[in-house]
Short mmCIF file of all heavy atoms in Angstrom, two decimals:
data_model
loop_
_atom_site.label_atom_id
_atom_site.label_comp_id
_atom_site.label_asym_id
_atom_site.label_seq_id
_atom_site.Cartn_x
_atom_site.Cartn_y
_atom_site.Cartn_z
N MET A 87 136.57 63.51 -8.73
CA MET A 87 137.73 64.23 -9.11
C MET A 87 137.95 64.41 -10.60
O MET A 87 138.78 65.11 -11.10
CB MET A 87 138.95 63.54 -8.52
CG MET A 87 139.04 63.44 -7.00
SD MET A 87 138.87 65.02 -6.16
CE MET A 87 140.20 65.93 -6.82
N PHE A 88 137.11 63.61 -11.38
CA PHE A 88 137.20 63.76 -12.82
C PHE A 88 137.05 65.23 -13.29
O PHE A 88 137.71 65.69 -14.20
CB PHE A 88 136.21 62.90 -13.47
CG PHE A 88 136.44 61.40 -13.48
CD1 PHE A 88 135.70 60.59 -12.66
CD2 PHE A 88 137.62 60.89 -14.08
CE1 PHE A 88 135.99 59.26 -12.59
CE2 PHE A 88 137.91 59.52 -13.97
CZ PHE A 88 137.07 58.70 -13.30
N ALA A 89 136.11 65.92 -12.67
CA ALA A 89 135.75 67.28 -13.09
C ALA A 89 136.81 68.35 -12.64
O ALA A 89 136.87 69.31 -13.18
CB ALA A 89 134.38 67.69 -12.55
N GLU A 90 137.64 67.99 -11.61
CA GLU A 90 138.56 68.93 -11.12
C GLU A 90 139.97 68.77 -11.61
O GLU A 90 140.84 69.57 -11.20
CB GLU A 90 138.46 68.87 -9.56
CG GLU A 90 137.19 69.30 -8.99
CD GLU A 90 137.17 69.29 -7.51
OE1 GLU A 90 138.25 69.16 -6.83
OE2 GLU A 90 136.09 69.33 -6.84
N GLY A 91 140.21 67.79 -12.36
CA GLY A 91 141.59 67.65 -12.85
C GLY A 91 141.89 66.35 -13.47
O GLY A 91 140.97 65.69 -14.05
N SER A 92 143.11 65.88 -13.46
CA SER A 92 143.45 64.65 -14.11
C SER A 92 142.97 63.44 -13.30
O SER A 92 142.83 63.52 -12.03
CB SER A 92 144.95 64.53 -14.24
OG SER A 92 145.58 64.57 -13.03
N ALA A 93 142.63 62.35 -13.98
CA ALA A 93 142.16 61.14 -13.34
C ALA A 93 143.08 59.99 -13.69
O ALA A 93 143.69 59.96 -14.74
CB ALA A 93 140.69 60.91 -13.85
N CYS A 94 143.14 59.03 -12.77
CA CYS A 94 143.87 57.86 -13.03
C CYS A 94 142.89 56.71 -13.15
O CYS A 94 141.97 56.59 -12.34
CB CYS A 94 144.83 57.54 -11.81
SG CYS A 94 146.07 58.81 -11.62
N LEU A 95 143.07 55.92 -14.20
CA LEU A 95 142.23 54.70 -14.36
C LEU A 95 143.08 53.48 -14.44
O LEU A 95 144.27 53.54 -14.95
CB LEU A 95 141.43 54.91 -15.67
CG LEU A 95 140.45 56.02 -15.69
CD1 LEU A 95 139.87 56.14 -17.08
CD2 LEU A 95 139.32 55.86 -14.69
N PRO A 96 142.55 52.31 -14.07
CA PRO A 96 143.28 51.07 -14.19
C PRO A 96 143.59 50.75 -15.66
O PRO A 96 142.76 51.16 -16.57
CB PRO A 96 142.34 50.01 -13.61
CG PRO A 96 141.41 50.82 -12.76
CD PRO A 96 141.26 52.13 -13.34
N ALA A 97 144.63 50.13 -15.94
CA ALA A 97 145.02 49.74 -17.26
C ALA A 97 143.94 49.02 -18.01
O ALA A 97 143.80 49.09 -19.23
CB ALA A 97 146.37 49.04 -17.29
N LYS A 98 143.19 48.16 -17.29
CA LYS A 98 142.18 47.32 -17.92
C LYS A 98 140.84 47.98 -18.03
O LYS A 98 139.86 47.42 -18.42
CB LYS A 98 142.03 46.02 -17.19
CG LYS A 98 143.29 45.10 -17.31
CD LYS A 98 143.01 43.85 -16.59
CE LYS A 98 144.23 42.94 -16.73
NZ LYS A 98 144.08 41.72 -16.01
N GLY A 99 140.72 49.28 -17.58
CA GLY A 99 139.52 50.03 -17.78
C GLY A 99 138.69 50.21 -16.48
O GLY A 99 139.04 49.76 -15.42
N MET A 100 137.62 51.00 -16.68
CA MET A 100 136.75 51.41 -15.54
C MET A 100 136.19 50.23 -14.74
O MET A 100 135.94 50.29 -13.58
CB MET A 100 135.55 52.21 -16.04
CG MET A 100 135.97 53.56 -16.62
SD MET A 100 136.34 54.80 -15.36
CE MET A 100 134.75 55.21 -14.80
N GLY A 101 135.94 49.11 -15.45
CA GLY A 101 135.36 47.91 -14.86
C GLY A 101 136.26 47.36 -13.75
O GLY A 101 135.72 46.58 -12.85
N GLU A 102 137.48 47.70 -13.71
CA GLU A 102 138.40 47.20 -12.71
C GLU A 102 138.15 47.95 -11.39
O GLU A 102 138.60 47.40 -10.29
CB GLU A 102 139.82 47.33 -13.13
CG GLU A 102 140.24 46.43 -14.29
CD GLU A 102 140.01 44.96 -13.93
OE1 GLU A 102 140.62 44.54 -12.97
OE2 GLU A 102 139.34 44.20 -14.72
N ILE A 103 137.63 49.12 -11.33
CA ILE A 103 137.40 49.94 -10.14
C ILE A 103 136.58 49.18 -9.10
O ILE A 103 137.03 49.00 -7.96
CB ILE A 103 136.88 51.35 -10.38
CG1 ILE A 103 137.93 52.10 -11.24
CG2 ILE A 103 136.56 52.04 -9.15
CD1 ILE A 103 137.52 53.46 -11.74
N PRO A 104 135.38 48.66 -9.46
CA PRO A 104 134.63 47.90 -8.45
C PRO A 104 135.35 46.65 -7.99
O PRO A 104 135.24 46.27 -6.84
CB PRO A 104 133.28 47.63 -9.13
CG PRO A 104 133.47 47.89 -10.57
CD PRO A 104 134.62 48.87 -10.71
N LYS A 105 136.06 45.99 -8.86
CA LYS A 105 136.78 44.86 -8.50
C LYS A 105 137.88 45.18 -7.43
O LYS A 105 138.15 44.45 -6.51
CB LYS A 105 137.45 44.24 -9.71
CG LYS A 105 136.47 43.55 -10.69
CD LYS A 105 137.19 43.01 -11.86
CE LYS A 105 136.22 42.57 -12.93
NZ LYS A 105 136.95 42.14 -14.18
N GLN A 106 138.53 46.31 -7.62
CA GLN A 106 139.59 46.75 -6.67
C GLN A 106 138.96 47.05 -5.30
O GLN A 106 139.47 46.74 -4.29
CB GLN A 106 140.33 47.98 -7.19
CG GLN A 106 141.30 47.64 -8.35
CD GLN A 106 141.89 48.91 -8.92
OE1 GLN A 106 141.75 49.97 -8.37
NE2 GLN A 106 142.78 48.75 -9.97
N LEU A 107 137.78 47.71 -5.36
CA LEU A 107 137.12 48.03 -4.11
C LEU A 107 136.64 46.75 -3.35
O LEU A 107 136.85 46.63 -2.16
CB LEU A 107 135.88 48.92 -4.37
CG LEU A 107 136.20 50.38 -4.82
CD1 LEU A 107 134.89 51.05 -5.28
CD2 LEU A 107 136.88 51.11 -3.75
N ALA A 108 136.11 45.82 -4.15
CA ALA A 108 135.63 44.58 -3.54
C ALA A 108 136.76 43.68 -3.01
O ALA A 108 136.57 42.97 -2.02
CB ALA A 108 134.81 43.80 -4.60
N SER A 109 137.89 43.83 -3.60
CA SER A 109 139.06 42.94 -3.15
C SER A 109 139.49 43.27 -1.74
O SER A 109 140.13 42.43 -1.09
CB SER A 109 140.21 43.15 -4.07
OG SER A 109 140.81 44.36 -3.99
N SER A 110 139.13 44.45 -1.18
CA SER A 110 139.53 44.79 0.17
C SER A 110 138.47 44.38 1.18
O SER A 110 138.67 44.59 2.39
CB SER A 110 139.86 46.33 0.21
OG SER A 110 138.70 47.01 0.05
N CYS A 111 137.40 43.85 0.74
CA CYS A 111 136.26 43.47 1.60
C CYS A 111 136.42 41.98 1.95
O CYS A 111 136.90 41.17 1.16
CB CYS A 111 134.91 43.73 0.95
SG CYS A 111 134.49 45.37 0.66
N PRO A 112 135.83 41.51 3.07
CA PRO A 112 135.80 40.07 3.41
C PRO A 112 134.89 39.40 2.30
O PRO A 112 134.02 40.00 1.71
CB PRO A 112 135.12 39.98 4.71
CG PRO A 112 135.23 41.33 5.32
CD PRO A 112 135.39 42.35 4.15
N SER A 113 135.20 38.12 1.99
CA SER A 113 134.48 37.43 0.89
C SER A 113 132.98 37.34 1.13
O SER A 113 132.31 37.27 0.18
CB SER A 113 135.07 36.02 0.76
OG SER A 113 134.86 35.29 1.94
N ASP A 114 132.53 37.40 2.37
CA ASP A 114 131.07 37.33 2.60
C ASP A 114 130.40 38.68 2.82
O ASP A 114 129.25 38.79 3.11
CB ASP A 114 130.78 36.46 3.85
CG ASP A 114 131.39 37.04 5.04
OD1 ASP A 114 132.20 37.92 4.97
OD2 ASP A 114 131.08 36.46 6.19
N ALA A 115 131.12 39.76 2.51
CA ALA A 115 130.56 41.09 2.69
C ALA A 115 129.76 41.60 1.50
O ALA A 115 128.97 42.52 1.68
CB ALA A 115 131.75 42.10 2.94
N ILE A 116 129.86 40.97 0.36
CA ILE A 116 129.21 41.35 -0.82
C ILE A 116 128.26 40.17 -1.24
O ILE A 116 128.83 39.12 -1.54
CB ILE A 116 130.09 41.81 -1.96
CG1 ILE A 116 130.91 43.03 -1.52
CG2 ILE A 116 129.30 42.17 -3.20
CD1 ILE A 116 131.98 43.48 -2.50
N LEU A 117 127.00 40.42 -1.29
CA LEU A 117 126.08 39.41 -1.75
C LEU A 117 125.42 39.85 -3.04
O LEU A 117 125.02 41.01 -3.21
CB LEU A 117 124.99 39.19 -0.70
CG LEU A 117 125.36 38.74 0.67
CD1 LEU A 117 124.13 38.70 1.62
CD2 LEU A 117 125.98 37.40 0.58
N LEU A 118 125.35 38.95 -4.04
CA LEU A 118 124.81 39.30 -5.31
C LEU A 118 123.48 38.49 -5.48
O LEU A 118 123.32 37.41 -4.93
CB LEU A 118 125.71 38.89 -6.45
CG LEU A 118 127.09 39.57 -6.38
CD1 LEU A 118 128.02 39.01 -7.48
CD2 LEU A 118 126.97 41.07 -6.48
N ASN A 119 122.61 39.09 -6.25
CA ASN A 119 121.30 38.31 -6.60
C ASN A 119 120.46 37.96 -5.38
O ASN A 119 119.96 36.88 -5.35
CB ASN A 119 121.52 37.20 -7.53
CG ASN A 119 122.29 37.59 -8.76
OD1 ASN A 119 121.97 38.55 -9.46
ND2 ASN A 119 123.30 36.86 -9.10
N GLN A 120 120.47 38.84 -4.39
CA GLN A 120 119.66 38.63 -3.19
C GLN A 120 118.62 39.69 -3.11
O GLN A 120 118.89 40.86 -3.31
CB GLN A 120 120.56 38.71 -1.94
CG GLN A 120 121.66 37.73 -1.84
CD GLN A 120 121.19 36.41 -1.43
OE1 GLN A 120 120.45 36.20 -0.43
NE2 GLN A 120 121.59 35.36 -2.14
N ARG A 121 117.40 39.32 -2.79
CA ARG A 121 116.32 40.31 -2.64
C ARG A 121 116.20 40.50 -1.07
O ARG A 121 116.06 39.63 -0.32
CB ARG A 121 115.04 39.79 -3.15
CG ARG A 121 115.01 39.79 -4.66
CD ARG A 121 113.63 39.53 -5.12
NE ARG A 121 113.60 39.42 -6.59
CZ ARG A 121 113.35 40.46 -7.36
NH1 ARG A 121 113.09 41.67 -6.84
NH2 ARG A 121 113.35 40.32 -8.65
N VAL A 122 116.40 41.74 -0.65
CA VAL A 122 116.21 42.10 0.76
C VAL A 122 114.74 42.32 1.02
O VAL A 122 114.06 43.07 0.33
CB VAL A 122 117.05 43.43 1.02
CG1 VAL A 122 116.83 43.87 2.54
CG2 VAL A 122 118.50 43.14 0.85
N THR A 123 114.22 41.65 1.99
CA THR A 123 112.88 41.78 2.38
C THR A 123 112.67 42.61 3.65
O THR A 123 111.60 43.18 3.85
CB THR A 123 112.23 40.39 2.64
OG1 THR A 123 112.94 39.69 3.67
CG2 THR A 123 112.24 39.52 1.37
N LYS A 124 113.70 42.74 4.46
CA LYS A 124 113.56 43.54 5.64
C LYS A 124 114.95 43.95 6.23
O LYS A 124 115.84 43.16 6.19
CB LYS A 124 112.82 42.81 6.73
CG LYS A 124 112.51 43.62 7.96
CD LYS A 124 111.84 42.68 9.04
CE LYS A 124 110.41 42.43 8.62
NZ LYS A 124 109.65 41.74 9.66
N ILE A 125 115.04 45.19 6.67
CA ILE A 125 116.25 45.64 7.37
C ILE A 125 115.78 46.15 8.70
O ILE A 125 114.90 47.00 8.75
CB ILE A 125 116.98 46.74 6.58
CG1 ILE A 125 117.50 46.25 5.25
CG2 ILE A 125 118.14 47.23 7.42
CD1 ILE A 125 118.12 47.27 4.37
N ARG A 126 116.34 45.62 9.77
CA ARG A 126 116.01 46.09 11.11
C ARG A 126 117.20 46.59 11.79
O ARG A 126 118.24 46.06 11.78
CB ARG A 126 115.39 45.04 11.93
CG ARG A 126 114.04 44.48 11.49
CD ARG A 126 113.56 43.41 12.44
NE ARG A 126 114.39 42.30 12.48
CZ ARG A 126 114.33 41.15 11.63
NH1 ARG A 126 113.46 41.28 10.60
NH2 ARG A 126 115.16 40.22 11.75
N ASN A 127 117.10 47.81 12.45
CA ASN A 127 118.15 48.37 13.24
C ASN A 127 117.98 47.82 14.62
O ASN A 127 116.95 48.07 15.24
CB ASN A 127 118.11 49.92 13.22
CG ASN A 127 119.30 50.50 13.82
OD1 ASN A 127 120.24 49.79 14.25
ND2 ASN A 127 119.43 51.80 13.87
N LEU A 128 118.93 47.04 15.14
CA LEU A 128 118.85 46.44 16.42
C LEU A 128 119.39 47.30 17.55
O LEU A 128 119.01 47.07 18.74
CB LEU A 128 119.55 45.09 16.45
CG LEU A 128 119.03 44.14 15.39
CD1 LEU A 128 119.87 42.82 15.36
CD2 LEU A 128 117.57 43.82 15.51
N ASN A 129 120.26 48.23 17.26
CA ASN A 129 120.95 49.00 18.28
C ASN A 129 121.59 50.20 17.69
O ASN A 129 122.57 50.11 17.03
CB ASN A 129 121.96 48.10 18.98
CG ASN A 129 122.63 48.79 20.22
OD1 ASN A 129 122.79 49.99 20.22
ND2 ASN A 129 122.90 48.01 21.19
N ASP A 130 120.97 51.41 17.95
CA ASP A 130 121.56 52.63 17.35
C ASP A 130 122.95 52.89 17.78
O ASP A 130 123.76 53.43 17.10
CB ASP A 130 120.65 53.83 17.74
CG ASP A 130 119.37 53.88 16.92
OD1 ASP A 130 119.42 53.41 15.78
OD2 ASP A 130 118.35 54.33 17.43
N LYS A 131 123.30 52.63 19.06
CA LYS A 131 124.62 52.91 19.59
C LYS A 131 125.74 52.20 18.81
O LYS A 131 126.76 52.75 18.50
CB LYS A 131 124.63 52.60 21.04
CG LYS A 131 126.01 52.98 21.69
CD LYS A 131 125.97 52.69 23.23
CE LYS A 131 127.25 53.06 23.78
NZ LYS A 131 127.28 52.77 25.26
N TYR A 132 125.52 50.93 18.52
CA TYR A 132 126.59 50.13 17.85
C TYR A 132 126.28 49.87 16.35
O TYR A 132 127.02 49.22 15.70
CB TYR A 132 126.77 48.79 18.60
CG TYR A 132 127.15 48.96 19.99
CD1 TYR A 132 126.28 48.76 21.06
CD2 TYR A 132 128.43 49.46 20.29
CE1 TYR A 132 126.65 48.92 22.32
CE2 TYR A 132 128.82 49.56 21.57
CZ TYR A 132 127.93 49.33 22.58
OH TYR A 132 128.33 49.52 23.93
N LEU A 133 125.18 50.41 15.85
CA LEU A 133 124.83 50.30 14.42
C LEU A 133 124.76 48.81 14.09
O LEU A 133 125.30 48.39 13.05
CB LEU A 133 125.80 51.04 13.48
CG LEU A 133 125.87 52.54 13.85
CD1 LEU A 133 127.05 53.18 13.09
CD2 LEU A 133 124.57 53.19 13.50
N ILE A 134 124.07 48.04 14.87
CA ILE A 134 123.90 46.58 14.55
C ILE A 134 122.56 46.49 13.87
O ILE A 134 121.55 46.99 14.31
CB ILE A 134 123.88 45.75 15.84
CG1 ILE A 134 125.20 46.01 16.59
CG2 ILE A 134 123.58 44.28 15.53
CD1 ILE A 134 125.26 45.32 17.92
N SER A 135 122.55 45.82 12.74
CA SER A 135 121.37 45.62 11.92
C SER A 135 121.16 44.19 11.64
O SER A 135 122.12 43.37 11.59
CB SER A 135 121.41 46.40 10.61
OG SER A 135 121.53 47.77 10.91
N SER A 136 119.95 43.82 11.32
CA SER A 136 119.63 42.44 10.81
C SER A 136 118.98 42.64 9.45
O SER A 136 118.04 43.41 9.27
CB SER A 136 118.62 41.79 11.78
OG SER A 136 118.22 40.57 11.32
N ILE A 137 119.43 41.88 8.52
CA ILE A 137 118.91 41.92 7.14
C ILE A 137 118.32 40.58 6.82
O ILE A 137 119.02 39.51 7.01
CB ILE A 137 120.03 42.30 6.11
CG1 ILE A 137 120.70 43.63 6.53
CG2 ILE A 137 119.49 42.33 4.73
CD1 ILE A 137 121.94 43.91 5.71
N ASP A 138 117.08 40.56 6.36
CA ASP A 138 116.45 39.34 5.91
C ASP A 138 116.38 39.34 4.34
O ASP A 138 116.16 40.36 3.74
CB ASP A 138 114.98 39.23 6.35
CG ASP A 138 114.92 39.16 7.91
OD1 ASP A 138 115.97 38.99 8.62
OD2 ASP A 138 113.83 39.22 8.45
N THR A 139 116.65 38.14 3.74
CA THR A 139 116.55 38.04 2.35
C THR A 139 115.40 37.08 1.93
O THR A 139 114.87 36.36 2.80
CB THR A 139 117.88 37.46 1.67
OG1 THR A 139 117.96 36.11 2.05
CG2 THR A 139 119.07 38.25 2.15
N ASN A 140 115.05 37.12 0.65
CA ASN A 140 113.91 36.21 0.16
C ASN A 140 114.27 34.75 0.24
O ASN A 140 113.36 33.93 0.13
CB ASN A 140 113.47 36.65 -1.20
CG ASN A 140 114.60 36.43 -2.28
OD1 ASN A 140 115.75 36.67 -1.96
ND2 ASN A 140 114.20 36.03 -3.48
N THR A 141 115.48 34.40 0.40
CA THR A 141 115.89 33.08 0.53
C THR A 141 115.86 32.51 1.96
O THR A 141 116.13 31.35 2.14
CB THR A 141 117.35 32.80 -0.07
OG1 THR A 141 118.25 33.65 0.73
CG2 THR A 141 117.42 33.19 -1.48
N GLY A 142 115.39 33.35 2.85
CA GLY A 142 115.31 33.02 4.24
C GLY A 142 116.58 33.24 5.02
O GLY A 142 116.69 32.99 6.21
N LYS A 143 117.64 33.81 4.31
CA LYS A 143 118.90 34.06 5.02
C LYS A 143 118.71 35.28 5.91
O LYS A 143 118.15 36.26 5.49
CB LYS A 143 119.95 34.32 3.93
CG LYS A 143 121.34 34.44 4.47
CD LYS A 143 122.33 34.49 3.30
CE LYS A 143 123.68 34.28 3.86
NZ LYS A 143 124.68 34.16 2.75
N LYS A 144 119.20 35.26 7.15
CA LYS A 144 119.21 36.30 8.03
C LYS A 144 120.62 36.68 8.34
O LYS A 144 121.50 35.88 8.67
CB LYS A 144 118.51 35.94 9.35
CG LYS A 144 117.06 35.71 9.16
CD LYS A 144 116.44 35.49 10.52
CE LYS A 144 114.93 35.16 10.37
NZ LYS A 144 114.14 36.23 9.93
N ILE A 145 120.98 37.97 8.02
CA ILE A 145 122.37 38.47 8.15
C ILE A 145 122.39 39.46 9.19
O ILE A 145 121.59 40.43 9.23
CB ILE A 145 122.79 39.06 6.78
CG1 ILE A 145 122.60 38.06 5.58
CG2 ILE A 145 124.25 39.54 6.79
CD1 ILE A 145 122.55 38.66 4.26
N ARG A 146 123.29 39.28 10.11
CA ARG A 146 123.52 40.28 11.16
C ARG A 146 124.75 41.06 10.89
O ARG A 146 125.83 40.44 10.64
CB ARG A 146 123.66 39.58 12.49
CG ARG A 146 123.44 40.55 13.62
CD ARG A 146 123.19 39.81 14.87
NE ARG A 146 122.48 40.69 15.81
CZ ARG A 146 122.07 40.35 16.98
NH1 ARG A 146 122.24 39.10 17.36
NH2 ARG A 146 121.48 41.16 17.74
N VAL A 147 124.74 42.38 10.85
CA VAL A 147 125.90 43.16 10.53
C VAL A 147 126.16 44.27 11.51
O VAL A 147 125.23 44.72 12.17
CB VAL A 147 125.74 43.86 9.10
CG1 VAL A 147 125.61 42.83 8.00
CG2 VAL A 147 124.49 44.73 9.04
N ILE A 148 127.35 44.62 11.70
CA ILE A 148 127.71 45.78 12.46
C ILE A 148 128.40 46.69 11.45
O ILE A 148 129.52 46.40 10.91
CB ILE A 148 128.78 45.43 13.57
CG1 ILE A 148 128.07 44.43 14.53
CG2 ILE A 148 129.15 46.70 14.34
CD1 ILE A 148 129.03 43.93 15.62
N ALA A 149 127.76 47.78 11.10
CA ALA A 149 128.24 48.67 10.02
C ALA A 149 127.71 50.07 10.21
O ALA A 149 126.66 50.34 10.88
CB ALA A 149 127.78 48.09 8.71
N SER A 150 128.45 50.98 9.63
CA SER A 150 128.00 52.36 9.74
C SER A 150 127.06 52.66 8.62
O SER A 150 126.27 53.62 8.62
CB SER A 150 129.15 53.40 9.62
OG SER A 150 129.85 53.08 8.43
N SER A 151 126.98 51.79 7.58
CA SER A 151 126.03 51.99 6.48
C SER A 151 125.82 50.64 5.71
O SER A 151 126.65 49.73 5.81
CB SER A 151 126.58 53.04 5.44
OG SER A 151 127.80 52.62 4.94
N ILE A 152 124.74 50.58 5.08
CA ILE A 152 124.43 49.38 4.28
C ILE A 152 124.04 49.93 2.86
O ILE A 152 123.23 50.85 2.76
CB ILE A 152 123.18 48.58 4.87
CG1 ILE A 152 123.52 48.07 6.25
CG2 ILE A 152 122.77 47.51 3.85
CD1 ILE A 152 122.33 47.49 6.96
N VAL A 153 124.62 49.39 1.81
CA VAL A 153 124.36 49.84 0.45
C VAL A 153 123.56 48.82 -0.27
O VAL A 153 123.81 47.60 -0.35
CB VAL A 153 125.67 50.05 -0.36
CG1 VAL A 153 125.38 50.47 -1.73
CG2 VAL A 153 126.58 51.06 0.39
N LEU A 154 122.41 49.25 -0.75
CA LEU A 154 121.50 48.47 -1.58
C LEU A 154 121.55 48.92 -3.01
O LEU A 154 121.25 50.09 -3.23
CB LEU A 154 120.03 48.50 -1.08
CG LEU A 154 119.73 47.97 0.35
CD1 LEU A 154 118.33 48.22 0.67
CD2 LEU A 154 120.09 46.55 0.44
N ALA A 155 121.95 48.14 -3.87
CA ALA A 155 122.04 48.51 -5.33
C ALA A 155 120.90 47.83 -6.03
O ALA A 155 120.81 46.64 -6.01
CB ALA A 155 123.40 48.07 -5.90
N CYS A 156 119.95 48.63 -6.60
CA CYS A 156 118.81 48.02 -7.15
C CYS A 156 118.30 48.92 -8.38
O CYS A 156 118.76 49.97 -8.59
CB CYS A 156 117.68 47.98 -6.14
SG CYS A 156 117.24 49.50 -5.30
N ASP A 157 117.35 48.32 -9.10
CA ASP A 157 116.75 49.02 -10.22
C ASP A 157 115.85 50.07 -9.67
O ASP A 157 115.30 49.93 -8.60
CB ASP A 157 116.00 48.05 -11.12
CG ASP A 157 116.86 47.11 -11.90
OD1 ASP A 157 118.01 47.45 -12.18
OD2 ASP A 157 116.39 46.01 -12.11
N PRO A 158 115.62 51.16 -10.40
CA PRO A 158 114.75 52.24 -9.96
C PRO A 158 113.39 51.63 -9.77
O PRO A 158 112.58 51.96 -8.96
CB PRO A 158 114.77 53.27 -11.04
CG PRO A 158 115.74 52.90 -12.04
CD PRO A 158 116.17 51.55 -11.65
#
């Protein structure tokens, strides 16, 4: 919307936007500093996936999407 008109920003700056988005998620929904080694789709109908990390953690999720943020 920045290109189409006026924009609203938090008083403390742009860095507050991801904090606001994260605040509406469950505390275990965002993992930091985890390397994903495998993502498996277990059921197309219900969008159930299993995510393995390099620490041996296996995460089972029911989601319409999974976002991986990584270096190019």
Side-chain angles (χ1 to χ4, degrees):
M87 296 308 302
F88 289 112
E90 293 183 15
S92 59
C94 296
L95 296 174
K98 293 182 181 178
M100 295 283 287
E102 293 298 308
I103 294 173
K105 292 177 187 176
Q106 289 176 3
L107 293 171
S109 71
S110 64
C111 295
S113 62
D114 61 348
I116 298 174
L117 299 175
L118 302 175
N119 302 313
Q120 300 282 311
R121 290 188 183 268
V122 173
T123 57
K124 187 183 286 186
I125 299 174
R126 290 184 300 274
N127 190 1
L128 304 176
N129 185 325
D130 285 330
K131 184 176 180 182
Y132 299 107
L133 301 170
I134 300 172
S135 298
S136 176
I137 302 169
D138 296 350
T139 70
N140 65 323
T141 60
K143 189 173 193 171
K144 292 187 184 289
I145 305 159
R146 196 165 204 178
V147 296
I148 300 173
S150 59
S151 60
I152 298 170
V153 177
L154 297 176
C156 54
D157 292 329

